[in-house]
């Protein structure tokens, strides 16, 4: 397993206990350890550089502290900078003034979109909403069925294409679902879309078509935390091809150290809003930057 960043910093400073002030050499040694730890946590290199510069600058300007030794002082700075780079405050969902609020899910196949639709449905229902899950992933033969199953587990309604009526046209299904939601008094529509194993132009065009048809209040880019640095290229492709207003990190129950979180937030500038931590619908919560910072720090 990884050596945690806290362990590494402790080692750097073990010889310095009792010393009152951080020297430039201490700060450089610290920066080296942070760099290794972040790269091991799969943070993208430009993000590592920017982060280290921010920490170095703050460490140099840090006042001599009575309460904290140099190691604790640097760990505090690193922790605060991590929280900052992860978005600071939790960003809440923005609801439309006029129902329905439309939430579109986008991401690679296998990233966990359909599961997330169920999780969001359950979560929204618990918040007093009446969500409608929409099966606009018509690429995978079983996707509609899978969405119906999670909707059933979540106790929420699902909108899926009628056989023979526009089946095969996810843009049409998505557009129809909004009218349906209005008629049936569903106040939040969650649109599940198709994802391929890799990024491709056709997928992006389809997702953009769905976006134009439903004009989402939120487009959530769903990304598997386990893909590490690949998260950056995938996020950039979805940002340019579809655009998104928030990120959902999935599979955080795996041993991913959170590098994807740090990188995606930094590179796209969009907030991470939710986190998925397992296959069950209850394995889901709003994203808390301070918890992710602790995970990275170890
Ligand atoms: P989609 O292709 O994007 O719709 O992805 P799915 O929702 O079908 O998820 C792909 C696989 O990942 C399924 O086997 C899910 O059970 C699993 N999965 C989804 N979210 C999580 C998660 O947070 N943790 C774990 N361990 N598995 C997940």
């Amino acid at each position: 397993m990884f050596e945690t960043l806290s362990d590494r910093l402790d080692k750097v400073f073990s010889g310095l206990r009792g010393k009152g002030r951080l020297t430039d050499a201490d700060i450089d040694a610290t920066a080296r350890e942070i760099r290794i730890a972040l790269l091991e946590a799969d943070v993208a290199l430009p993000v590592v550089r920017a982060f280290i510069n921010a920490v170095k600058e703050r460490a140099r300007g840090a006042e001599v502290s009575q309460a904290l030794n140099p190691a604790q002082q640097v760990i505090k700075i690193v922790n605060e900078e991590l929280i900052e780079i992860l978005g600071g405050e939790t960003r809440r969902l923005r609801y439309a003034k006029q129902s329905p609020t439309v939430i579109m899910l986008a991401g690679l196949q296998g990233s966990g979109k359909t599961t997330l639709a169920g999780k969001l449905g359950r979560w929204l229902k618990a918040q007093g909403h009446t969500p409608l899950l929409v099966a606009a992933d018509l690429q995978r033969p079983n996707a509609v069925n899978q969405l119906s199953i999670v909707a059933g587990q979540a106790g929420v309604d699902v909108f899926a294409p009628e056989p023979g009526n526009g089946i095969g046209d996810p843009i049409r299904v998505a557009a129809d679902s909004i009218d349906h939601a209005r008629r049936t008094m569903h106040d939040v529509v969650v649109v599940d879309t198709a994802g391929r194993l890799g990024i491709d132009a056709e997928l992006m065009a389809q997702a953009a078509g769905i976006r134009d048809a439903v004009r989402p209040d939120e487009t959530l880019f769903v990304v598997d935390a386990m893909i590490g640095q690949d998260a950056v290229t995938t996020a950039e492709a979805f940002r340019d091809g579809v655009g998104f207003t928030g990120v959902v990190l999935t599979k955080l129950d795996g041993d991913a150290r959170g590098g994807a979180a740090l990188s995606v937030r930094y590179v796209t500038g969009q907030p991470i809003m939710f986190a998925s931590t397992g296959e069950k619908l209850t394995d889901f919560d709003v994203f808390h930057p301070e918890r992710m910072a602790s995970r990275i720090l170890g």
Side-chain angles (χ1 to χ4, degrees):
M1 258 319 269
F2 303 103
E3 201 176 1
T4 68
L5 185 50
S6 298
D7 289 343
R8 287 182 176 283
L9 293 182
D10 268 345
K11 257 184 226 160
V12 177
F13 287 106
S14 59
L16 303 175
R17 301 258 181 246
K19 206 169 155 182
R21 188 156 181 78
L22 289 167
T23 64
D24 280 356
D26 297 338
I27 292 169
D28 288 344
T30 306
R32 269 196 300 279
E33 293 303 321
I34 296 174
R35 182 187 163 86
I36 297 168
L38 292 182
L39 290 174
E40 277 187 355
D42 238 345
V43 180
L45 195 55
V47 186
V48 173
R49 288 206 187 102
F51 183 80
I52 286 176
N53 287 338
V55 169
K56 271 177 149 180
E57 200 153 303
R58 268 192 68 186
R60 286 208 181 94
E63 296 287 316
V64 180
S65 165
Q66 300 299 322
L68 303 175
N69 66 36
Q72 291 166 331
Q73 210 170 344
V74 171
I75 286 170
K76 181 168 176 285
I77 292 172
V78 170
N79 187 44
E80 285 169 6
E81 288 292 322
L82 277 175
I83 293 171
E84 183 61 31
I85 211 171
L86 287 165
E89 297 280 296
T90 299
R91 194 337 221 116
R92 306 282 163 178
L93 268 183
R94 285 188 295 240
Y95 294 96
K97 287 200 184 72
Q98 235 182 351
S99 285
T101 296
V102 180
I103 302 171
M104 173 171 155
L105 309 181
L108 295 181
Q109 183 179 322
S111 59
K113 288 182 300 301
T114 305
T115 311
L116 174 70
K119 290 174 173 180
L120 264 178
R122 181 186 171 278
W123 183 83
L124 287 162
K125 189 180 174 188
Q127 313 266 316
H129 294 285
T130 47
L132 178 69
L133 308 189
V134 177
D137 175 359
L138 308 181
Q139 225 69 40
R140 266 190 309 142
N142 197 36
V144 174
N145 192 25
Q146 194 192 338
L147 188 72
S148 303
I149 291 170
V150 295
Q153 289 167 350
V156 302
D157 294 334
V158 66
F159 182 86
E162 297 284 335
N165 180 21
I167 194 160
D169 182 359
I171 297 176
R172 167 86 181 277
V173 170
D176 287 351
S177 74
I178 308 298
D179 295 334
H180 178 81
R182 276 201 195 98
R183 282 197 302 274
T184 51
M185 310 291 277
H186 290 88
D187 71 341
V188 185
V189 178
V190 178
V191 184
D192 187 20
T193 66
R196 305 285 159 77
L197 288 174
I199 299 154
D200 72 40
E202 204 188 321
L203 157 75
M204 287 300 169
Q206 184 186 94
I210 293 174
R211 176 201 64 205
D212 294 342
V214 302
R215 284 188 274 129
D217 299 285
E218 299 274 17
T219 303
L220 302 182
F221 167 61
V222 185
V223 61
D224 177 345
M226 302 290 286
I227 72 173
Q229 299 211 21
D230 284 346
V232 171
T233 34
T234 311
E236 284 172 335
F238 275 88
R239 177 194 63 197
D240 298 343
V242 193
F244 54 85
T245 56
V247 178
V248 181
L249 278 181
T250 62
K251 311 194 189 180
L252 278 171
D253 49 314
D255 64 1
R257 287 288 307 284
L262 206 68
S263 306
V264 168
R265 170 70 179 83
Y266 181 84
V267 169
T268 68
Q270 295 297 348
I272 301 165
M273 294 173 61
F274 296 99
S276 267
T277 50
E279 298 193 57
K280 294 199 301 291
L281 295 192
T282 45
D283 297 330
F284 174 74
D285 199 356
V286 295
F287 178 77
H288 297 286
E290 70 285 357
R291 288 187 207 162
M292 181 57 70
S294 315
R295 178 178 179 134
I296 294 170
L297 204 50

